Amino acid sequence: MPKVAFEIVHPEKRSTSVVFASPHSGCDYPASFLRRTVLDRQLIRSSEDAFVDKLFDCAPRFGAPFLMAGPPRAFIDLNRSAEELDPALIEGVRGGGHNPRIASGLGIVPRVVANGRAIYSGKISLAEAQRRINGYWVPYHQQLQKLLDESHAGFGEAILIDCHSMPHEALENVVRSGAPRPDIVLGDRFGASASGDIVDQIEAAFRDAGLRVARNAPFAGAYTTQHYGRPSRRQHTVQVEIDRSLYMDEKAIRPNEDFAAFRRLLRGVVARIADIGAQDKRLAAE
C-alpha cells in the first residue's frame, strides 16, 4: 500500500486564507499494485499529474499551506466522490444512474488510465476498494477540510486552489483551428464554486505572467470544486489545469528543458494568488 495518504507543508506563519492542494501528483506506486496491474511502470503513470507538487511547492513561502496526495491517481482518485464506485471494476457494486466519470472508467478507484488503457485484467473486491477509501481518501479530505476550517477561523473565508495538469492533446478540440491554445484552464463550475471577483484575480495573475487562460473548457472542475466550492459561505474553490507540455516531456514523464524557468514563472503567480487572501485580511482589519 502507499505509505501515506497525504503530505502537507505548512508555512512558518499562516498569512493568507488561500490553501493549495494537489490531489493527483502522488507517485508512490507500491510493488503489490505494480504486480497487479497489466500496465508497465511508464503507462501506469499516464494519468498522474506529474511534478505538479514541484511546481506549487513554493506556496508555503507566501503564507499558504500546501496539501499533496500520497497515493497515485491510478490507485485511488482523491478528486472523486467516495460514492463513485465503478460496477465494471468493483465486485458487488450495482449500477446506478448514469455518471459519465464512472462510465469512462474514472471513478474513485479508476478502471483505466489515460487514453482508456485498462489498469487490471479483472475486477477487485468491494472490501479492497473500501480499504483504499478509508485509508487514503478519508484522511486526505479530513485534512483538507481542517485547512479550510482554519482559513475561516483566521481570515473569515477560505480560498482553495486545486492544482492539476492536463495533457496537451486535451486542448485539441477546445479552440478554433489556427487559434492559440490556452496554457491554463481555470474551472469554477461556471461560477458555482467561486465568486467572479476571485476568479478574475486568479486569471489576472496567470495572464500577467504571459500565460493564455481559458475558463471551464474542457475542464470545469470535479468533486473538489463541487464539494468545497461554497461562495455564499465565503468558501471559494478554483481548479487550475496547466498544459503539461509547458514543463515536461509527456511521453517520457520527465521535466523538460523549460521546467526550471516555468517553475520560476509560477512562483510569481502563486505569490499573487496567495496575496488575494492576504488582502481580505487587511481589509477586515481596517
Side-chain angles (χ1 to χ4, degrees), residues 239-258:
Q239 179 176 282
V240 174
E241 295 274 3
I242 302 174
D243 182 350
R244 292 174 186 167
S245 68
L246 293 172
Y247 63 89
M248 66 178 280
D249 180 328
E250 294 183 74
K251 186 175 181 180
I253 314 181
R254 64 186 177 210
N256 64 20
E257 64 276 8
D258 298 320

Side-chain angles (χ1 to χ4, degrees), residues 128-148:
E128 169 63 19
Q130 202 60 55
R131 277 195 295 271
R132 296 186 193 187
I133 292 169
N134 293 338
Y136 300 95
W137 188 94
V138 170
Y140 176 89
H141 284 281
Q142 286 177 335
Q143 181 60 56
L144 182 52
Q145 186 63 63
K146 181 175 183 288
L147 292 172
L148 297 176

Side-chain angles (χ1 to χ4, degrees), residues 93-124:
V93 173
R94 294 183 178 181
H98 179 68
N99 179 309
R101 292 191 289 268
I102 293 176
S104 61
L106 296 173
I108 186 168
V109 180
R111 176 166 34 95
V112 302
V113 293
N115 296 319
R117 300 182 184 95
I119 297 173
Y120 309 93
S121 60
K123 289 191 172 187
I124 68 171

Side-chain angles (χ1 to χ4, degrees), residues 2-58:
K3 298 178 186 67
V4 297
F6 61 83
E7 295 181 21
I8 185 168
V9 181
H10 291 281
E12 289 186 8
K13 180 182 179 182
R14 183 78 180 272
S15 60
T16 176
S17 64
V18 179
V19 173
F20 291 83
S22 175
H24 288 163
S25 59
C27 57
D28 181 7
Y29 293 85
S32 58
F33 176 61
L34 292 174
R35 286 193 299 269
R36 191 167 188 178
T37 178
V38 297
L39 301 175
D40 62 33
R41 288 174 178 264
Q42 195 77 359
L43 287 176
I44 196 66
R45 297 189 64 191
S46 58
S47 59
E48 176 190 319
D49 285 348
F51 315 116
V52 165
D53 53 343
K54 306 300 182 193
L55 294 177
F56 287 91
D57 66 0
C58 61

